[in-house]
Amino acid sequence: MSGHRRALANGAALPLTQRKGRPARRRASLAARYATAATPIERAHAAWAYLLGAAARRQPDQHVADELLDDVARMLIRVGDQLLQLQAREPLHPDRRQS
């Protein structure tokens, strides 16, 4: 019934509740996924999914959103370069002695 309010058994009206907004739901979902992640890669994957979900929505100021995403992309490239440099320092055959 449209407009009908639910009431308690004694006739008192139930308090009005409001559904969580999208940002709060997404943040709660991120917190749950991040807390259950066992490795840094799983945590990065949870953060990446959160970022993609936020970026996929229409933005009120698209120019600012584009700048933020460009900054993130540059930062990811920098971190990827650092990880590759760490891997390059690892000996090819750790059990053999380097001459």
Side-chain angles (χ1 to χ4, degrees):
M1 292 193 295
S2 180
H4 179 74
R5 289 197 179 209
R6 292 179 24 194
L8 297 173
N10 65 2
L14 285 172
L16 295 177
T17 57
Q18 226 177 4
R19 187 176 88 158
K20 283 185 187 177
R22 179 184 309 267
R25 288 192 316 270
R26 286 204 172 168
R27 186 68 176 173
S29 175
L30 168 67
R33 280 186 69 187
Y34 199 86
T36 60
T39 65
I41 292 176
E42 290 175 355
R43 287 189 291 277
H45 185 58
W48 179 250
Y50 178 73
L51 172 72
L52 288 181
R57 303 284 301 174
R58 186 177 56 233
Q59 303 294 328
D61 191 346
Q62 192 62 48
H63 179 69
V64 173
D66 290 344
E67 286 180 6
L68 286 171
L69 291 171
D70 285 340
D71 290 344
V72 168
R74 282 190 291 275
M75 186 184 316
L76 287 172
I77 291 169
R78 226 176 12 254
V79 170
D81 288 344
Q82 291 173 355
L83 289 171
L84 289 173
Q85 287 174 358
L86 286 173
Q87 290 173 359
R89 288 189 215 157
E90 183 179 21
L92 294 178
H93 301 285
D95 54 337
R96 290 189 199 166
R97 281 192 145 166
Q98 296 289 326
S99 308

